[in-house]
Amino acid sequence: MAELTLTTFDWVPEMPRGFVRDLRVRWALEEAALPYRVASVPFGDRGPTHFAHQPFGQVPWLTDGDLSIFESGAILLHLGGHSAKLMPADPRGRNEATEWLFAALNSVEMASLPWTMSKFMGHPSDTAAWKFVDDFLKLRLKHMEAVLANREWLAGTFSVADILMSDVLRVVDSFDGLTDSPACRAYVARATARPAFAKAHADQMAHFAAADAGRAGA
């Protein structure tokens, strides 16, 4: 296997720490016990090399030999091909995990991101715009609640779909958005209790803390 290199920012402000999306990739790599190294790009000065790997100037991206892959969902699908710990081996299970991975991005995160951004920005909650955003998320959570009430993991066994879905829901939970969704909240708790998540989260926090120390000494 070629060397796997995960690229993230060298530093970010306090608020997004623990939620930067390289965490999803770190988590998958730790679950599968795949060796990898972490590289950094500047948070502030995003030059041509950055945009050549990630056309929106975001992170993460993963290099696997001569492949460079951006978008966390695409990276997780790629890593699923490296380990049965990340993707069911049978066609039905693999299909189900793929469906739910895309659902996390296209059905749940599409609804959760405007909601969490509004919460983060402190937008007023007594407007028609907020009601639309809030109702949209609640509808998605209602459907997820019905699904997660009857299963431990989305595709039978833990997979990349659970990494992505639980990480999306984890952001909502950080703003107390799962108060009325106990099955979703329990699912996030199960996922984040896994040792691989704890390791990935601690490593991301340490990465940015080291950057703080470097900036202070500069």
Side-chain angles (χ1 to χ4, degrees), residues 5-174:
T5 302
L6 169 64
T7 300
T8 187
F9 286 127
D10 60 348
W11 175 91
V12 296
E14 288 284 344
M15 181 63 187
R17 296 184 186 188
F19 295 96
V20 182
R21 291 180 183 179
D22 69 90
L23 180 71
R24 299 171 178 179
V25 183
R26 290 176 186 265
W27 186 358
L29 291 163
E30 295 294 339
E31 288 281 356
L34 293 170
Y36 68 100
R37 71 180 189 90
V38 176
S40 298
V41 289
F43 176 72
D45 183 16
R46 304 177 195 184
T49 300
H50 188 153
F51 284 96
H53 287 278
Q54 218 296 350
F56 302 101
Q58 299 174 324
V59 295
W61 70 82
L62 181 80
T63 54
D64 182 357
D66 59 356
L67 292 176
S68 180
I69 309 153
F70 73 95
E71 290 294 339
S72 60
I75 296 169
L76 292 180
L77 274 180
H78 177 77
L79 291 175
H82 281 305
S83 175
K85 293 180 180 179
L86 298 175
M87 183 69 78
D90 65 290
R92 185 179 296 276
R94 186 177 184 87
N95 180 70
E96 194 168 18
T98 303
E99 287 176 331
W100 281 110
L101 183 143
F102 279 98
L105 294 169
N106 294 339
S107 294
V108 181
E109 192 167 51
M110 181 178 70
S112 70
L113 190 56
W115 187 91
T116 54
M117 289 298 292
S118 292
K119 284 283 191 179
F120 173 70
M121 298 297 292
H123 291 163
S125 59
D126 58 351
T127 65
W130 168 254
K131 185 177 187 307
F132 175 83
V133 167
D134 191 46
D135 286 348
F136 187 27
L137 176 60
K138 285 177 178 175
L139 180 61
R140 291 291 192 253
L141 291 177
K142 177 183 176 181
H143 291 299
M144 285 307 305
E145 190 72 5
V147 170
L148 293 170
N150 298 307
R151 63 180 85 182
E152 182 180 21
W153 306 118
L154 291 170
T157 59
F158 185 85
S159 71
V160 289
D162 297 300
I163 290 175
L164 230 168
M165 184 68 79
S166 64
D167 196 54
V168 169
L169 293 175
R170 185 172 69 94
V171 181
V172 177
D173 196 33
S174 72

